[in-house]
Amino acid sequence: MKFTKFGVKLFCFFLLVSLVPLGVVGTIVYKYVHDRTKDEVLKQLESTAYNLNARLNLLLTKRTYRVVDFSSDGFIRDCVEQMSLIPPGYSHIRDNLNTHLIINKKGLDPNILEVEILNDKGKVIASTAQEQIGKVKSHEDYFRVPFLSSETKGTFFSGDHRRSESHNELQLVFSTILTDKVLHRPLGIIVTKVKGNVLQEILDIKKYYTDKEGLTGSYGEVYVVNKDKLMIANSIDSGGVSFKQTVDTKVVQEVMATREEYSGIYENYKGMQVLGTALFVPEANWVIVAEKNINEAFLPLAKIKYFFIISGVGAVFLVCIFAFVISGNINSIIRKLIEGTRRIANGDLEHPIIIGERKDEIGELGESFNLMMNKLKESNEKNKQLFLQVKRGRDEWLNTFDAITDIITIHDKDFKILRANKAFYEKFNVNTAQLSDKKCYGIFHGTDMPWHDCPLEKSIESLQPEYEEVDDPKMGGIFLISTYPLFDEQGELYGIVHQAKDITFQKKVERQLVEKAKELKMVNKELEDFVYIVSHDLKEPLFAIGGYTSRISRVYEDTFDDKGKLYIDRIRVNIEKMSQKIKEIMEVLKIGRVTYNFKNNDIDVITEDVVKTLEGRIAKNKINVIIQDNLPVVLCDERRIKDVLSNLLTNAIKFMGEDKQKQVKIGCEENGGYYKIYVEDTGIGIQEEYREQIFKIFRRLNEVEAEGTGVGLAIVKKIVEQHKGKIWVESPIKDGRGSRFCFTIPVIERP
Ligand code: ADP
């Protein structure tokens, strides 16, 4: 079975979970047992060292008493006293003394090697060893210290000595002062030299130690080191190891230097790690050392260690089996899930995963997985539909984008073109790759900086749509450029739509129209001039005709019969009419020719004036005239506007008809840079189709008999136009009754 990474991790986790507590407990137990073992072994070693020290002290005390006992021997004291008094003839005394020493002193103690007596000069005067007699030993400690120092109270253990250079044999030397009986004057000293074996005896293995204690050489030992760092006794060498072994270890050095006890782990003279106690013996400057091999001292620990290792291995084995089974199970499920996921990733939503009948979380996981797959299938279907819709939308958008004949481009804020329609590519002959290299103004205008008044640049600044007409030969015509900023969800500008509409043709037509309008104006002017001149020129012949007609009728009054007279009258009436018409035509034309005196005039005042002038007619016709309060101050020619209002008010009176409620209202509204002044009546009204015509000269409607020539409104129109305004009529009442004449004057204030 191939394990998944998760399976391996799970396996490791089980292993870790089981081994860590085992390791922790093992370490704590090991440490505890180690410390306890160490304490106990050290306690045991300390006790051994103290016991040996006690035995050693006993030995030294016993031996010291022995020599003191010798010094109180009357015979010895007498002999020495005599020998000090009668030198050198004391050979018999000396012989007796020697014999005494050999028989009664050395002879009684097999451990005594030698007994000798030195006089106050340090010379050997008697000895159990004949050859020593006569030698001077004043330099020896055992002479100098008790004899010359008062601190020792005359008794001294001079410590360990080599017996001779040839033998490496140990002897212990004890000495004490000999005094005379009466005055207690020092006579010399008595010295006993004891076999080193006595020292070895107190370390006797069989007597004092058992194998159980482990100090008999199996893995531990007890030994004594003298001040020269030489081993002078050892529990494992019953024969004595005197002076054979140097023990210059750090522990011995330290104990000798500090004269204090040491316990712990250290390296012994064999280079072996040991647990040991070193005790200083001040009486002899010795160090008692009791130590055990560390490996063996901690042998119980090894058992614990093995226990934990075996338990660990056992636990690992069990855990391995357990973890293997569990993680193997989970592993196979994970594998199935991975395979299922891969299948989904590859678009296969038809095969659910099968992990068998399980009531646990894994079973739930499998069910959830299959549920998820079904949901995914459904959502996939929806997504497909959505995708198709989006694609269709996108295609439509693209097709529309490309179908538009205007050049449309989408730019970023750095004047780079992000997207462009077909019209653009056709116009500028660039490909998509080239777009990323170039700035838009380079492509559109062939410049290395934006076009002056560039709307794109303006939109980037204003964040508003901008428009500009651009006439650039490089673009090959006149274009109306429109730019529209694009914003993201956060309202940040991310691009600008740039539309270039070719308006070259419209512009051409526009210019032609302007030209045509100019021409028309000129023709009109010429026509007006012509009419004016003709009218003016007609006046004279008409006057002449009139004159001659009058003369004919006067001169031939009697010649004409009634019919002729009627004809002559008709000619005169028509000449009158024609003359009047010519006058009116010239009046209308004059309106366009006179100079206007534009000033700020209060319409309030002008209206009041006009109404006052027509007061009589208003009263006569019982018309209620309402003038709006606060009519504005307007830049206009006072006289002409008075004519306008007078004409309109006169017409309102004239065409009021016989309605009961006769009312004229004069008012003004300000609207889009214009004042709209109106004169509204409740009169007979004007039918829709005539509302334009009435402004033409001589045009009158025949509904009501009223005086007039049909010139008034033509003059009014001319005056309004001279003020750059418009005039029209509307019906304020629904059934077509009443008229509202409105005219505009721009709101311009002239200082
Ligand atoms: P006149 O008043 O001399 O006839 P206008 O040019 O002033 O000439 O008027 C032209 C015609 O417009 C009038 O004859 C009349 O038919 C019509 N008209 C003018 N004002 C009004 C009005 N307030 N109500 C009805 N008809 C009017």
Side-chain angles (χ1 to χ4, degrees):
M1 187 196 321
K2 197 186 168 205
F3 269 91
T4 57
K5 281 182 189 167
F6 179 73
V8 173
K9 277 183 193 165
L10 200 71
F11 184 78
C12 293
F13 172 76
F14 279 126
L15 222 57
L16 208 71
V17 163
S18 56
L19 285 184
V20 165
L22 202 72
V24 171
V25 171
T27 309
I28 292 169
V29 171
Y30 184 85
K31 176 103 180 62
Y32 175 76
V33 176
H34 178 275
D35 290 351
R36 283 292 305 271
T37 308
K38 183 182 161 192
D39 288 349
E40 269 182 23
V41 171
L42 281 177
K43 224 185 265 172
Q44 187 202 346
L45 289 170
E46 270 167 29
S47 144
T48 303
Y50 275 105
N51 282 342
L52 177 58
N53 190 29
R55 289 202 298 276
L56 207 63
N57 276 330
L58 196 69
L59 171 81
L60 295 179
T61 311
K62 214 168 98 187
R63 285 292 160 191
T64 308
Y65 280 143
R66 176 66 53 88
V67 76
V68 170
D69 182 39
F70 284 0
S71 72
S72 61
D73 187 317
F75 178 75
I76 293 171
R77 193 188 288 153
D78 289 345
C79 287
V80 173
E81 200 175 336
Q82 283 170 27
M83 284 167 80
S84 68
L85 292 174
I86 44 164
Y90 53 74
S91 58
H92 63 284
I93 300 171
R94 186 189 61 204
D95 291 343
N96 289 343
L97 186 56
N98 277 344
T99 310
H100 178 67
L101 293 177
I102 291 163
I103 296 165
N104 298 323
K105 299 300 172 195
K106 186 183 177 232
L108 295 178
D109 187 345
N111 285 324
I112 291 177
L113 286 169
E114 220 174 292
V115 182
E116 63 186 18
I117 296 167
L118 280 65
N119 67 8
D120 57 352
K121 303 285 180 304
K123 187 178 174 184
V124 179
I125 52 170
S127 174
T128 52
Q130 289 292 322
E131 68 276 10
Q132 297 294 327
I133 293 169
K135 287 184 181 172
V136 177
K137 298 189 176 175
S138 56
H139 60 281
E140 296 281 3
D141 283 349
Y142 56 77
F143 171 77
R144 282 191 306 112
V145 179
F147 203 78
L148 301 176
S149 160
S150 56
E151 282 172 31
T152 59
K153 292 178 187 162
T155 308
F156 181 62
F157 166 56
S158 79
D160 53 292
H161 290 263
R162 283 167 199 264
R163 198 164 166 200
S164 71
E165 290 303 320
S166 52
H167 298 92
N168 254 345
E169 205 180 318
L170 174 76
Q171 59 181 16
L172 305 176
V173 180
F174 299 85
S175 60
T176 189
I177 288 184
L178 280 171
T179 54
D180 67 21
K181 215 188 295 177
V182 185
L183 297 173
H184 296 290
R185 274 182 306 114
L187 297 172
I189 64 160
I190 180 161
V191 181
T192 56
K193 298 178 179 178
V194 181
K195 281 182 187 171
N197 285 1
V198 290
L199 198 59
Q200 194 58 46
E201 273 165 24
I202 61 168
L203 276 165
D204 193 334
I205 309 160
K206 288 190 180 104
K207 201 167 166 190
Y208 297 108
Y209 309 109
T210 61
D211 275 344
K212 210 174 153 202
E213 284 170 301
L215 295 169
T216 54
S218 61
Y219 61 93
E221 56 186 309
V222 185
Y223 53 87
V224 181
V225 180
N226 75 358
K227 67 178 188 305
D228 299 324
K229 319 274 172 42
L230 289 167
M231 192 187 284
I232 54 172
N234 191 329
S235 63
I236 59 169
D237 191 349
S238 56
V241 289
S242 318
F243 307 119
K244 282 180 196 161
Q245 180 67 50
T246 305
V247 188
D248 194 9
T249 59
K250 272 190 187 161
V251 171
V252 169
Q253 284 169 13
E254 195 184 312
V255 170
M256 281 198 173
T258 60
R259 300 168 78 87
E260 275 175 13
E261 179 190 337
Y262 173 88
S263 284
I265 295 172
Y266 57 86
E267 193 177 278
N268 76 353
Y269 68 96
K270 291 175 184 166
M272 189 189 283
Q273 284 293 309
V274 291
L275 260 172
T277 292
L279 202 64
F280 187 70
V281 185
E283 294 83 0
N285 282 335
W286 288 346
V287 176
I288 296 171
V289 182
E291 59 193 24
K292 276 188 178 181
N293 183 327
I294 197 162
N295 293 331
E296 300 198 43
F298 288 125
L299 204 60
L301 271 181
K303 286 177 187 163
I304 289 172
K305 202 157 85 186
Y306 290 136
F307 171 76
F308 276 103
I309 289 170
I310 291 163
S311 327
V313 170
V316 168
F317 182 70
L318 287 175
V319 166
C320 281
I321 293 170
F322 181 70
F324 188 80
V325 171
I326 297 258
S327 55
N329 195 353
I330 292 173
N331 189 53
S332 89
I333 290 157
I334 289 172
R335 279 238 152 267
K336 282 180 182 171
L337 286 173
I338 290 172
E339 276 159 23
T341 315
R342 279 202 187 123
R343 279 202 303 274
I344 290 175
N346 291 329
D348 176 5
L349 297 172
E350 300 303 324
H351 299 93
I353 57 157
I354 296 153
I355 51 175
E357 276 291 308
R358 293 188 72 126
K359 294 272 175 238
D360 56 5
E361 285 78 4
I362 291 170
E364 254 177 59
L365 180 69
E367 269 175 35
S368 303
F369 188 87
N370 289 336
L371 200 70
M372 178 191 81
M373 199 167 76
N374 288 336
K375 291 261 179 215
L376 216 59
K377 210 163 134 187
E378 279 172 28
S379 124
N380 215 17
E381 264 313 306
K382 279 185 194 158
N383 279 350
K384 254 186 207 165
Q385 294 299 328
L386 210 64
F387 176 76
L388 279 175
Q389 277 177 17
V390 170
K391 191 180 171 302
R392 211 172 293 134
R394 186 179 174 275
D395 290 348
E396 271 171 21
W397 184 85
L398 278 177
N399 291 338
T400 312
F401 190 54
D402 280 339
I404 296 170
T405 50
D406 294 345
I407 297 163
I408 301 183
T409 41
I410 299 169
H411 301 230
D412 66 8
K413 290 186 277 184
D414 293 327
F415 299 91
K416 287 264 171 71
I417 296 173
L418 306 172
R419 187 181 274 275
N421 70 347
K422 202 169 152 198
F424 168 85
Y425 290 111
E426 283 173 2
K427 173 86 181 166
F428 294 103
N429 196 24
V430 284
N431 57 39
T432 326
Q434 288 169 308
L435 286 189
S436 54
D437 302 337
K438 295 185 176 178
K439 299 269 186 183
C440 62
Y441 40 79
I443 299 169
F444 278 92
H445 309 293
T447 56
D448 54 4
M449 58 188 295
W451 184 257
H452 56 85
D453 289 331
C454 168
L456 185 82
E457 198 174 25
K458 282 189 205 164
S459 272
I460 291 169
E461 267 180 32
S462 68
L463 305 178
Q464 298 284 337
E466 298 285 349
Y467 311 91
E468 197 63 50
E469 261 182 43
V470 173
D471 185 357
D472 180 12
K474 170 80 182 26
M475 288 179 75
I478 304 168
F479 283 82
L480 174 66
I481 308 281
S482 314
T483 52
Y484 310 92
L486 297 172
F487 301 99
D488 61 16
E489 290 77 15
Q490 280 77 43
E492 291 288 319
L493 178 81
Y494 74 88
I496 305 99
V497 176
H498 181 282
Q499 179 186 12
K501 188 177 188 63
D502 190 346
I503 54 166
T504 316
F505 179 71
Q506 284 102 304
K507 278 279 145 187
K508 202 172 146 195
V509 171
E510 210 173 84
R511 278 175 198 158
Q512 281 171 356
L513 276 173
V514 170
E515 286 300 313
K516 281 271 178 261
K518 265 190 200 165
E519 274 174 32
L520 259 170
K521 212 174 167 185
M522 265 172 63
V523 169
N524 208 25
K525 177 88 179 36
E526 278 168 16
L527 205 66
E528 274 189 6
D529 287 351
F530 173 73
V531 172
Y532 192 80
I533 291 160
V534 167
S535 306
H536 189 267
D537 290 355
L538 276 176
K539 264 164 71 182
E540 231 170 281
L542 200 63
F543 187 68
I545 293 166
Y548 283 114
T549 310
S550 292
R551 274 172 92 179
I552 289 169
S553 75
R554 216 171 39 238
V555 174
Y556 302 102
E557 196 183 3
D558 302 332
T559 315
F560 288 123
D561 59 3
D562 286 348
K563 212 173 189 176
K565 280 179 188 168
L566 182 70
Y567 289 153
I568 290 291
D569 268 354
R570 285 215 181 137
I571 292 170
R572 204 182 289 133
V573 168
N574 279 303
I575 290 169
E576 237 349 274
K577 270 190 187 170
M578 195 164 173
S579 168
Q580 183 60 30
K581 291 260 184 212
I582 289 171
K583 214 172 124 195
E584 281 167 352
I585 288 171
M586 287 185 71
E587 186 88 357
V588 174
L589 292 175
K590 220 166 83 189
I591 291 297
R593 285 156 191 269
V594 290
T595 325
Y596 279 67
N597 183 17
F598 286 101
K599 274 186 186 164
N600 281 327
N601 292 300
D602 195 337
I603 300 294
D604 242 341
V605 178
I606 294 174
T607 313
E608 289 290 341
D609 262 13
V610 170
V611 171
K612 213 170 214 168
T613 318
L614 297 169
E615 228 169 23
R617 291 181 74 178
I618 294 169
K620 193 181 163 196
N621 288 287
K622 294 180 185 156
I623 297 170
N624 179 24
V625 177
I626 302 166
I627 306 167
Q628 184 190 309
D629 289 338
N630 299 324
L631 289 170
V633 173
V634 174
L635 184 72
C636 62
D637 183 309
E638 186 190 2
R639 207 183 122 200
R640 302 294 163 202
I641 293 299
K642 235 181 216 172
D643 289 347
V644 169
L645 285 172
S646 176
N647 250 304
L648 296 178
L649 190 54
T650 306
N651 280 351
I653 296 166
K654 277 198 305 191
F655 302 106
M656 185 55 77
E658 291 309 317
D659 204 54
K660 280 181 191 166
Q661 198 192 0
K662 298 175 180 175
Q663 184 178 288
V664 176
K665 214 156 110 187
I666 303 169
C668 176
E669 292 166 6
E670 193 185 329
N671 194 0
Y674 283 89
Y675 290 116
K676 185 177 101 178
I677 300 167
Y678 61 87
V679 178
E680 182 186 307
D681 61 52
T682 52
I684 59 169
I686 303 159
Q687 283 182 21
E688 183 113 37
E689 60 264 38
Y690 303 122
R691 285 182 192 163
E692 288 256 325
Q693 293 180 23
I694 54 170
F695 292 100
K696 290 182 180 158
I697 193 164
F698 304 133
R699 199 56 61 91
R700 307 192 74 219
L701 307 176
N702 297 322
E703 287 162 16
V704 173
E705 275 296 315
E707 86 280 14
T709 55
V711 174
L713 286 179
I715 292 173
V716 165
K717 191 172 182 237
K718 266 261 185 247
I719 294 172
V720 170
E721 281 172 356
Q722 289 300 318
H723 280 81
K724 307 265 183 255
K726 281 182 188 166
I727 184 160
W728 69 97
V729 64
E730 49 195 44
S731 179
I733 306 169
K734 270 188 183 167
D735 57 6
R737 289 184 56 77
S739 314
R740 186 193 290 132
F741 282 85
C742 308
F743 66 94
T744 56
I745 297 181
V747 180
I748 307 167
E749 279 184 25
R750 190 171 286 179

